[in-house]
Amino acid sequence: MRNDHVTLRSTAVFDLLAPRTPPVPVKVELRYDTRDPYAVVAAFRTGRAGWVEWVYARDLLADGLLADAGDGDVRIRPSVEDPESVLIELNSPSGHAMFEASAQELADFLDRTYDVVLPGNEHLWVDVDTALTHLIPNDLS
């Protein structure tokens, strides 16, 4: 486990896509924290109410820049209509949203995460003892 933790942040604007309406720009903060080296957080600005965060695998983002990726609540794929864009589909019990984002911006953010933690080296940043402490109750009696 490494002790020199780093948090990367990047802001972007994704276009919220809906049928028969023009795209709506949404501010998004992308975060990568070495305390959870396998994950990326996308925080979507929802107006005055605050932010909605989605956490998904860093590998999913990388795979989705190249081809269809994901089969759960988060799906990412290159846009067929615009090779410079990526489509991000989010599904939850409360709804469904489709966003279009710049493939280059996402690739640049991903490259920055690789500068900090190379793919395949994520395990070097995981503190197993701390993770187990959170999973196992302290009072076993």
Side-chain angles (χ1 to χ4, degrees), residues 64-118:
L65 289 173
L66 303 174
D68 287 5
D71 57 6
D73 293 340
V74 179
R75 295 175 184 215
I76 304 173
R77 65 182 176 274
S79 172
V80 174
E81 288 124 23
D82 180 2
E84 308 223 346
S85 294
V86 173
L87 297 175
I88 301 170
E89 184 177 359
L90 306 174
N91 291 292
S92 76
S94 61
H96 170 267
M98 178 74 76
F99 294 92
E100 186 174 50
S102 163
Q104 188 62 55
E105 282 184 27
L106 293 174
D108 290 346
F109 174 74
L110 197 56
D111 286 344
R112 288 179 52 215
T113 74
Y114 294 156
D115 289 341
V116 176
V117 178
L118 288 172

Side-chain angles (χ1 to χ4, degrees), residues 2-17:
R2 306 276 305 260
N3 288 324
D4 47 345
H5 289 289
V6 174
T7 301
L8 300 175
R9 296 176 190 275
S10 181
T11 57
V13 175
F14 291 5
D15 285 332
L16 176 62
L17 306 177

